[in-house]
Amino acid sequence: MRPELLNPLFTEITALKGVGNALAKPLERLGLARMVDLAFHLPTGWVERKRVSALSHEDVGQIIITTLTATDYRAGGSSRAPFRVVAQDEAGNIVTLVYFGKNSGWPRKLFPLGEPRLVSGKLEAWSDQLQIIHPDHVEPLNSDHDVKLREPVYPLSEGLTNARMNDLIAQALERAPELPEWIDASVLGSHHWKGWRDALLTVHATPESREARRRLAYDEIFSGQLALMLVRAASRKRKAQPIQPTGRLRDAVKLPFDPTGAQRRSVMEIDGDIAQSAPMLRLLQGDVGSGKTWVALMALLGAVESGMQAAMLAPTEILARQHYETLRGMLSGVPVNIAILTGRDKGKTREATLMGLADGSIDILVGTHAIFQEAVTYKNLGLVVIDEQHRFGVNQRVMLAQKARLNPHMLVMTATPIPRTLTLTYYGDMEVSRLDEMPPGRQPIKTLVMSIDKLDEVVDGLGRHIAAGGQAYWVCPLVEESEVSDQAAAEARAEALKMRFGDRIALVHGRMKGHEKDAVMERFASGQASVLVATTVIEVGVDVPNATLMIIEGADRFGLAQLHQLRGRVGRGDKASTCLLLRGNALSETARARLALMRETNDGFLIAEEDLRLRGAGDYLGTRQSGEQKFRLAGDEDISDLIDMARDDARLLVERDGGLDSERGKAARHCLYLFERDAAVGLLKGG
Ligand code: ADP
Ligand code: MG
């Protein structure tokens, strides 16, 4: 239950006076629903006003406050011309107040003729006349609305003025309570940080509030780390079945390669974890092509050797099927029963699979989220491998951990190398294994950056490539965030290529039905189609070793990590591969630098660090981090500067007071609720 002290912060904004339907939309657009949202809506800058008694050309360009009296109105000659109010200052200097828009009733009401008004706005000169366009404040003298000399500027949306926003935020801040201190006294002291409420008021009141902002950022980072530590502690307390692999099945796997040192090391780390009676929670990070599947297979087989079942969860239907086929191939001749279950399996097949899981005749299950639906019961599930961590955030981990009947060891694989700070920020509850060594004998991928103006040459090159029996991917540009327009772009490209290459061209996009996608992928994998035109739905996992050419249109619009992932689709066999990055012509410096980096290196960890540096953490994880909370107060710099301290602080607190029952622990609960880590608090007794 949320501590009562916080209730005023979690009331709806609509409870404030004067917030009616007209403000509902603009507030919603800004994501502002409750008082706490307003309190954390921080200023981006400040208006400085100058108080003047007489207008002067010297003040042109300044935002001034002065007393003006309207003497005349000038309606515009045409409907588009502005409405003008002619006014005088106390010394008799003339200024024109300019209002665009149809409604002349409004300026007339603001400026009744002959009545003085306190006016603020930016003074401008138009030929030799002074004017103010849309003054930002017009108040009767002696009104209780004082116009401040210095006023914070907030992010706004249409229909919401800065004055209004200031007013709403002031009301929200009035309701902000004093909260018990959750930051360790020594940390607080060494940074000269103020208490929470004090810091919040300071951030809204003065531009020089760097330390106060830092404190709020720290609160946010700390709440995240604390949530992760609680997840970790809760999972440590759970009982899992220890797994002692015998090697009986692992040794029966016959593959044409020896595992790399990094692969062996990862399996050893996994074996160390799963031998415990607390469930493993381990992240396996490895670049595309680093051989995560083999590691996963060893983990799955380890569980089966111990008489348990194992499951592998993939983010999409296509990937589930591909994993299933790959694992089946690797398991040929190994006495193991493997099955697949996705949302598309219905009727008899599904029934049979459910039976096999319940009676234990299925050893390994591969599938999408369907494998954790209520109807699915396992005889004895010992271990789960989860592929593509990005779609499986902390909240989902908490949920899975809370399903008491599911207490398996968990191995989470991610194909996107994640920079260290982000690993701590988002996966601080997990142990980490890194596949930092590529299997030997890989042909390096040659990367070229070309202008889209050379499209004809690119298509000619593609023609020669497929005439020689090669296959290629053609990835179409991301068009804003709309799937529909991505699809349109891909369809148009596929049509154009078909004119020349006929049915050697296949198209796959995100809005196709599962079985349609599978059919297309099958045509490509079997070699019937030579070119797969795709939106980024093919981004992860697809494995066609004969495809050695990757063309990425609009490459400047992709993130580096994403480009790296796409590039990793080629270079999988023993033939040399090429990646063509097609760029637009108006490139920013950053975009140039990013494409150049892609050309120069193939090291995913390096690219990840650079991408983070160039774009920032929010963008880096971007929309892929679905279900994961974004930071609203902490910037990238705050995160990298404060993460270690927050982590230590959180770990120490949980070690000393795992139930958060001490005075400080209780205070920390406020912090968790403030940043809506309710799920983590739910792990505490009487949370
Ligand atoms: P990831 O899932 O990490 O992107 P995969 O597990 O799909 O990579 O492996 C990529 C390719 O490398 C596969 O064809 C796989 O069979 C092969 N492979 C894996 N490990 C090795 C190794 N140690 N030596 C040679 N080839 C390997
Ligand atoms: Mg893979």
Side-chain angles (χ1 to χ4, degrees), residues 12 30 46 64 86 90 161 181 219 247 254 264 277 285 350 361 363 380 388 397 417 431 521 630 634 661 665:
E12 303 284 320
L30 291 166
W46 300 80
I64 55 152
V86 182
E90 283 163 338
T161 63
E181 188 53 74
D219 292 339
K254 297 285 174 258
R264 279 187 213 278
S277 54
Q285 287 191 344
R350 182 180 149 84
S361 56
D363 301 307
N380 188 9
E388 237 312 284
R397 294 208 288 281
E431 309 298 327
M521 298 307 295
K630 296 224 177 79
D661 297 317

Side-chain angles (χ1 to χ4, degrees), residues 255-261 263 284-296 312 323 326 330 387 413-415 435 437-442 541-543 545 565 568-569 571-573:
L255 292 174
F257 58 77
D258 289 327
T260 63
Q263 283 172 316
L284 178 66
Q285 287 191 344
D287 213 339
V288 179
S290 59
K292 291 183 294 295
T293 316
W294 182 84
V295 177
M312 180 152 173
H323 276 314
T326 309
M330 293 169 112
D387 192 13
M413 306 198 294
T414 168
L435 290 179
E437 177 189 355
M438 285 303 225
R442 283 295 150 85
V542 188
D543 196 0
Q565 290 266 305
R569 297 301 113 225
R572 307 210 127 209

